[in-house]
Amino acid sequence: MNQENNFNMQGNNEIPNNQPLNNTNQNFNNTFNQQPINTHSQQTTSYVQPIMQEPIPQPMNNIESGNINNQNLNNKPPKKINIGLIIGVISLVVIVIVVGIVLLTSNKNKENNNTDTNNNNNNVNQETSKNSSIKNMKVSLSNIIALTNNNELYVYGTDNYGELGVGDSSSNVNKTTKVASNVVSFYGSGSQTYYIDSKGDLYMAGLRYTGGVIDSFEKVNSNIKDVSSVINCAVVIDKDNNVQVKGPQNSYCGFTQVYEEFTKVGSNAKDVLVHYYSSGYLTNSNELYMKTDKGDSYVKTLENVKEISDTYVLTDNGEVYNIEFDGAFTKLDDNVSDINDTLYMKKDGTIYNVNKNKIEVEVNSIDDIWYDGVEFVNNVVIYKNKENKIVLHSSNGDDVIDNNLDSLKQILNYIK
């Protein structure tokens, strides 16, 4: 509301002192609906000038209707602020926000748990299951990697190069720790660990071929069904039976050029191997192709090959060959029925190592022998017997323990 218009053009005109004040009041009452106006006399002049006060705003509906009803605007009591009410409202808002965040986080966790995924960071440090028996195991002098029957991957021991994938390559894993779920197979080479999940995704932790380490499992390839590696390189087979390789020049895989990313080098493959300074793959036609640092490509080396491992080649007629460091082969024995990465089994069921030393164990399969330290640690052999118990075998006798994850610590202490 404009004050100048309210005074009806009177502005700052002075009123003569001899003019009755009721006339002045009347003029202002006509404007303010008979609201009292305070005045004062200036003793130094002969005039009385009214004090023009700013009208106090009223609710819009009263002003528009002209129904102010002689309210004393100057004496209107101030509104009281209810501090308790404000605090209560703020507290309620904070509670709603916190509850919303908790519910949102809970829903995301449920979605992650219900998804067929292998995010290793979500699996680290979860409690072990005492009911989980061990299906396969990689044992070294410093750590153990174990795959359970429910397809969970656990680790225990010293994390030398980040190969245990627990997020800290300088720590000791003193508690059996789960690092992945939905694992179909895994491969441990000492400085690297690979695993393939149920979707065919390939994850890796450990020594990076370009330098440094990957101390938590990272997805490095997809659509994969087999892998083999050593030190700083890897050879894989994808689900289209193509062979892919990755690693530096002059690597332990025998590469003569750099493969910064997984690169196709062969096809029609059903198995792969990596031996020091050489690598190879077996085709569905039972032909073995090998690559060494003396050649530029994989070349056919043997035919009529039944099976390969990182140490042996088994032919259809039962001959077993040892793979040398330069990719050459040395015949070891005849009448062989099966091989793994360290041992071979003859058709009569007897088992031998690469030095043709007999291993005195009874197993359902040669793959049930998880550690052969005959030439290294007090003739220790670790295997799963026909009763699904874990046996710690040495020249001092046998210790039979339960096949569960609680045994990992006992196994590692035994071979040390």
Side-chain angles (χ1 to χ4, degrees), residues 286-302:
N286 295 331
E287 297 172 333
L288 177 62
Y289 285 75
M290 292 292 296
K291 172 75 174 67
T292 70
D293 55 4
K294 297 179 176 62
D296 294 330
S297 61
Y298 287 82
V299 297
K300 186 168 68 172
T301 306
L302 288 175

Side-chain angles (χ1 to χ4, degrees), residues 134-174:
I134 298 171
K135 178 167 56 177
N136 195 9
M137 185 188 301
K138 173 69 175 180
V139 181
S140 70
L141 294 177
S142 59
N143 56 48
I144 298 177
I145 304 170
L147 179 63
T148 64
N149 285 325
N150 58 356
N151 299 321
E152 295 176 336
L153 195 65
Y154 288 83
V155 298
Y156 177 82
T158 302
D159 198 7
N160 300 297
Y161 304 100
E163 71 271 22
L164 298 186
V166 295
D168 186 354
S169 60
S170 62
S171 67
N172 292 328
V173 183
N174 297 319

Side-chain angles (χ1 to χ4, degrees), residues 142-260:
S142 59
N143 56 48
I144 298 177
I145 304 170
L147 179 63
T148 64
N149 285 325
N150 58 356
N151 299 321
E152 295 176 336
L153 195 65
Y154 288 83
V155 298
Y156 177 82
T158 302
D159 198 7
N160 300 297
Y161 304 100
E163 71 271 22
L164 298 186
V166 295
D168 186 354
S169 60
S170 62
S171 67
N172 292 328
V173 183
N174 297 319
K175 177 182 178 181
T176 302
T177 302
K178 185 173 76 172
V179 292
S181 301
N182 304 314
V183 177
V184 175
S185 62
F186 77 96
Y187 185 91
S189 65
S191 59
Q192 294 176 327
T193 302
Y194 289 87
Y195 73 82
I196 302 172
D197 70 5
S198 58
K199 297 185 295 184
D201 291 333
L202 178 67
Y203 289 81
M204 177 263 185
L207 188 65
R208 192 192 304 269
Y209 90 91
T210 55
V213 299
I214 302 174
D215 56 16
S216 294
F217 281 101
E218 293 182 0
K219 181 179 175 181
V220 295
N221 208 337
S222 59
N223 199 35
I224 301 301
K225 66 179 185 179
D226 196 9
V227 58
S228 186
S229 73
V230 60
I231 306 297
N232 60 352
C233 56
V235 182
V236 303
I237 302 177
D238 63 29
K239 291 185 177 180
D240 295 322
N241 298 327
N242 296 315
V243 180
Q244 302 178 28
V245 298
K246 181 178 180 179
Q249 186 178 8
N250 301 320
S251 68
Y252 286 91
C253 293
F255 299 155
T256 53
Q257 67 184 80
V258 177
Y259 297 102
E260 293 184 359

Side-chain angles (χ1 to χ4, degrees), residues 132-149 152-154 186-190 339-345 351-353 359-374 376-377 379-393 399-412 414-415:
S132 298
S133 61
I134 298 171
K135 178 167 56 177
N136 195 9
M137 185 188 301
K138 173 69 175 180
V139 181
S140 70
L141 294 177
S142 59
N143 56 48
I144 298 177
I145 304 170
L147 179 63
T148 64
N149 285 325
E152 295 176 336
L153 195 65
Y154 288 83
F186 77 96
Y187 185 91
S189 65
I339 58 176
N340 66 13
D341 285 337
T342 60
L343 305 171
Y344 65 90
M345 176 184 286
I351 298 172
Y352 298 85
N353 66 8
I359 310 299
E360 299 287 350
V361 297
E362 293 184 3
V363 293
N364 291 319
S365 167
I366 194 172
D367 293 329
D368 291 336
I369 302 176
W370 297 326
Y371 180 80
D372 166 27
V374 172
F376 305 103
V377 186
N379 295 330
V380 171
V381 179
I382 299 172
Y383 65 96
K384 180 175 64 176
N385 65 15
K386 295 181 179 181
E387 289 74 36
N388 196 34
K389 296 285 188 178
I390 295 177
V391 180
L392 310 179
H393 171 82
D399 289 346
V400 180
I401 60 178
D402 291 332
N403 182 356
N404 58 46
L405 293 166
D406 290 338
S407 302
L408 299 189
K409 181 178 180 180
Q410 187 174 351
I411 292 172
L412 195 58
Y414 189 84
I415 64 175

